[in-house]
Structure formats: structure tokens, C-alpha cells
Amino acid sequence: MSCKIVARICLGVGERKPYGFNLTGFCARYWRVGEVHALAERVRPRELLDGGKGPTSFEYEATVAGQTKVREPDWPMTLGGTVTDGEVVWTARSISNASLVKT
């Protein structure tokens, strides 16, 4: 059987190339300077933006509402860990759809 090489995949006649899309970077709510957050809002660290491998695999819930400061905090690396960021207290939670602004 002969095939045509398409993006390093050998495709036979009539076969389709499989595609997958990761839109998390487009849909996620990321931490921002000076942003006001309500209680229970969730964000993801900016290090995870654009699908990068950040230092954490958590999202962070505002357990005390308020405004963030001008520098991104050093995020806790354990589930349930907390960090104060300006007026906001962030608590590490398992990653979920709660930090997505678009679905």
C-alpha cells in the first residue's frame, strides 16, 4: 500500500489526518495585575498561559475577595495551600473548568 506523507503521518487514499485542539489558553482566566476578584473566583497562574509548563498544576480560588497586587505571587505547590496577594487570599484547588471563562 502506498501512502502520502502529511505532517509526518502516512495517509492512505481516503484517510484523514487526525487533529486535536487545546483551547485552554484561550478560555482560561489567568492572574492579572490589580484585578478585583470576588469570593470563590478561580484563576490560573500566568506561567500556564499558552500551554506552557508552569510550576503548578493547580488553579487558585479566591477565599478572601479583593484586589491583586502588581506582582504575581509565588503560588503554593500543595493542594489547599494558600498565598496572600494584595487583598486576595488564593487557595490551591485541583484544576477544573471553574477557571474557564468560555466553554
Side-chain angles (χ1 to χ4, degrees):
M1 170 178 135
S2 66
C3 66
K4 181 178 179 183
I5 303 296
V6 178
R8 293 178 283 179
I9 296 175
C10 181
L11 296 178
V13 176
E15 288 183 311
R16 295 179 182 216
K17 184 176 186 267
Y19 283 98
F21 298 97
N22 183 350
L23 298 175
T24 302
F26 176 73
C27 298
R29 178 184 299 116
Y30 289 97
W31 180 93
R32 290 192 180 137
V33 172
E35 195 166 77
V36 176
H37 292 278
L39 191 62
E41 259 186 50
R42 292 190 183 199
V43 298
R44 294 183 182 190
R46 295 214 37 97
E47 288 89 358
L48 297 177
L49 192 56
D50 298 326
K53 300 254 192 276
T56 174
S57 58
F58 300 112
E59 61 187 23
Y60 296 87
E61 179 181 3
T63 49
V64 173
Q67 186 174 12
T68 62
K69 49 184 194 176
V70 296
R71 196 172 139 264
E72 189 166 5
D74 291 326
W75 299 106
M77 304 292 276
T78 57
L79 189 63
T82 62
V83 64
T84 300
D85 171 25
E87 300 168 342
V88 183
V89 174
W90 298 110
T91 302
R93 303 289 189 218
S94 296
I95 209 124
S96 71
N97 290 339
S99 60
L100 300 179
V101 291
K102 301 171 187 145
T103 53

